[in-house]
């Protein structure tokens, strides 16, 4: 069986679709820790997409610093929010429904901005 290689557009489209999927799934859950983790995964997928786009082969924290140097502080800010959602919201279960509204909008904006970098 012959495998077909993905085009660059297909490759980045996968990450965009994955980020959007996690973002949309987070809206469909009533469980705050689950929503927090889905939002975290959305950011994570967008960061991976940007990491591949800019050919960065570094650990995640260093990748985020490099991406922030290239694109601006909005990358680091989104990553910091994602970590807060993961650790405080998902693992420790210390975030409330009311906390998520602001974070969700910032994550949505980050995903949209990351996609704009790729699609121009």
């Amino acid at each position: 069986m012959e495998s077909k290689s993905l085009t660059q557009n297909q490759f980045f489209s996968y990450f965009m679709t994955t980020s959007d999927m996690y973002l949309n799934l987070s809206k469909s859950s009533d469980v705050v820790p689950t929503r927090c983790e889905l939002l975290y995964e959305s950011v994570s997928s967008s960061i991976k997409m940007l990491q591949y786009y800019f050919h960065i082969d570094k650990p995640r924290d260093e990748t985020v610093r490099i991406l922030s140097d290239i694109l601006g502080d909005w990358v680091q800010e989104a990553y910091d929010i994602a970590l807060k959602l993961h650790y405080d919201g998902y693992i420790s279960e210390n975030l409330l429904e009311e906390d998520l509204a602001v974070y969700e909008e910032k994550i949505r904006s980050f995903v949209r901005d990351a996609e704009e970098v790729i699609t121009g």
Side-chain angles (χ1 to χ4, degrees), residues 18-29:
T18 302
S19 292
D20 289 338
M21 177 197 68
Y22 284 126
L23 200 55
N24 291 329
L25 281 173
S26 73
K27 291 186 274 186
S28 67
S29 177

Side-chain angles (χ1 to χ4, degrees), residues 7-62:
T7 66
Q8 189 172 4
N9 286 344
Q10 289 171 320
F11 183 72
F12 292 124
S13 177
Y14 162 78
F15 286 104
M16 286 184 235
T17 302
T18 302
S19 292
D20 289 338
M21 177 197 68
Y22 284 126
L23 200 55
N24 291 329
L25 281 173
S26 73
K27 291 186 274 186
S28 67
S29 177
D30 293 334
V31 181
V32 171
T34 301
R35 288 175 61 198
C36 288
E37 190 65 1
L38 290 167
L39 291 168
Y40 166 82
E41 291 295 341
S42 182
V43 171
S44 183
S45 184
S46 290
I47 288 173
K48 287 178 193 173
M49 175 181 67
L50 293 170
Q51 181 177 11
Y52 287 122
Y53 183 77
F54 287 103
H55 307 286
I56 301 169
D57 188 20
K58 303 285 183 189
R60 178 60 57 92
D61 286 345
E62 192 172 344

Side-chain angles (χ1 to χ4, degrees), residues 47 56 58-73 75-77 79-80:
I47 288 173
I56 301 169
K58 303 285 183 189
R60 178 60 57 92
D61 286 345
E62 192 172 344
T63 292
V64 170
R65 279 192 297 278
I66 293 167
L67 288 171
S68 291
D69 288 344
I70 296 168
L71 300 170
D73 291 339
V75 178
Q76 184 67 55
E77 290 167 8
Y79 184 60
D80 291 344

